[in-house]
Amino acid sequence: MSTTVDYFTYTPVHGAPETASVLFAILAIVSTLQILNTNSARWQFILVGTAAAESIGYIFRSVCINHVSLGLFICMNLFLLLPPNALALFNYKIIAEVARNSLVENAPFWKRPRFLVWFFFASDVFSFVLQSTGASMTAVENAKNAGKWVCIFGLAIQLVFLAMFLLITLLLKRDRRYTVLTRQGDVTGVVSRRRVFGLVIATSVLIYVRSIYRLIEFIDGYGGKIYRAEWAFYVFDFAMIFLAVGSYVVWHIGHYFPRKGKEISSDEAAV
């Protein structure tokens, strides 16, 4: 009968996954309340889903420490590997909405909302499918090596498209025609724009760091030094995604993207 060490190749620490699960659950609950209270667009529940999936992933990790099985180990890998793809999609949607609401005429195709949504959405789905397939394969002994390279390919694609997205976001940030709604409480008309673009860029960098770590981990191999360094997992995976999701909770931007049908009050204007 396989033991925890057989699956993990090391003895995982107790307490850390439980703490991580609770923290992500809190972020999911708070984010849900923020979205409902501010009549934010429903696509912002992507952020809630990201936090909830991470919480579930750490629950599986906690269970695997005490009662591991192939099915539980596969579920743990899937729920801890894939949620950042949803977080990246959340960022893609934000910038697409900024482009749509700005109504910029004669914009190049790569600045148009339709391109921003579907091009990066397609890349995200492709990366998601590759990573989920690879993660499932790595839990099977005779498919570990093949699964490793499938995951590496999926993560590499994610890094390439995320870099392209960051570049486009920076270019849109420099173009003053792309605006964000100003809400009551913003000190100046520039605050809302700076906050939205700043959060998208900062969280994308955090996702990028996490993806680089995961890529190096898979290249090093299952059971390698990086894989066995559990502290690295919590620093470069848990911490990066927790900070990214937490940033959107601390600096909630849902009210900049109201649900369709909700009128903008008279004290709000475009930057």
Side-chain angles (χ1 to χ4, degrees):
M1 183 177 178
S2 298
T3 65
T4 299
V5 175
D6 292 329
Y7 279 97
F8 283 90
T9 72
Y10 62 90
T11 303
V13 297
H14 290 270
E18 293 84 356
T19 301
S21 179
V22 170
L23 290 174
F24 273 114
I26 291 172
L27 290 181
I29 293 170
V30 174
S31 182
T32 298
L33 294 174
Q34 289 176 325
I35 293 169
L36 295 176
N37 288 337
T38 57
N39 291 315
S40 304
R42 292 296 180 247
W43 55 263
Q44 293 188 48
F45 279 107
I46 295 173
L47 186 67
V48 177
T50 300
E54 287 280 353
S55 180
I56 293 171
Y58 284 103
I59 290 175
F60 276 119
R61 186 177 180 90
S62 176
V63 173
C64 283
I65 292 176
N66 300 295
H67 306 285
V68 70
S69 68
L70 178 60
L72 289 172
F73 194 74
I74 290 175
C75 288
M76 180 198 74
N77 281 334
L78 289 174
F79 276 94
L80 293 181
L81 181 66
L82 301 178
N85 291 67
L87 186 56
L89 177 62
F90 183 71
N91 281 347
Y92 301 157
K93 181 63 175 176
I94 290 173
I95 295 303
E97 287 299 307
V98 170
R100 178 178 290 109
N101 295 337
S102 299
L103 301 175
V104 175
E105 296 182 359
N106 301 319
F109 75 93
W110 47 270
K111 286 186 176 181
R112 295 173 185 171
R114 184 178 294 275
F115 173 83
L116 290 168
V117 169
W118 291 108
F119 179 72
F120 288 110
F121 174 76
S123 70
D124 208 44
V125 170
F126 186 43
S127 174
F128 180 94
V129 170
L130 287 172
Q131 290 179 52
S132 59
T133 302
S136 300
M137 293 169 65
T138 56
V140 182
E141 186 61 38
N142 60 0
K144 271 188 173 66
N145 192 57
K148 160 188 166 180
W149 288 106
V150 172
C151 279
I152 288 172
F153 187 46
L155 286 165
I157 288 175
Q158 184 182 36
L159 285 170
V160 169
F161 283 98
L162 190 55
M164 293 171 61
F165 171 73
L166 272 168
L167 177 60
I168 291 175
T169 301
L170 288 170
L171 291 174
L172 263 64
K173 184 176 182 293
R174 294 182 60 185
D175 191 336
R176 293 295 175 179
R177 295 177 299 170
Y178 291 89
T179 61
V180 177
L181 290 175
T182 303
R183 313 299 288 192
Q184 185 177 19
D186 289 335
V187 178
T188 67
V190 180
V191 170
S192 56
R193 191 176 188 275
R194 182 186 299 152
R195 176 175 294 177
V196 170
F197 277 104
L199 280 170
V200 170
I201 293 169
T203 55
S204 294
V205 170
L206 289 171
I207 297 171
Y208 208 86
V209 171
R210 178 264 179 191
S211 296
I212 290 175
Y213 159 72
R214 280 292 197 169
L215 181 64
I216 295 173
E217 179 192 49
F218 277 109
I219 292 174
D220 186 51
Y222 176 77
K225 289 183 178 180
I226 297 175
Y227 182 88
R228 291 168 60 87
E230 192 176 14
W231 66 266
F233 167 75
Y234 283 103
V235 170
F236 295 109
D237 195 304
F238 161 73
M240 296 300 105
I241 304 306
F242 179 77
L243 288 173
V245 177
S247 295
Y248 278 119
V249 172
V250 174
W251 294 285
H252 180 62
I253 61 171
H255 48 283
Y256 295 128
F257 305 98
R259 184 154 40 104
K260 289 182 178 179
K262 296 294 179 180
E263 295 182 357
I264 301 172
S265 58
S266 59
D267 59 305
E268 295 167 352
V271 176

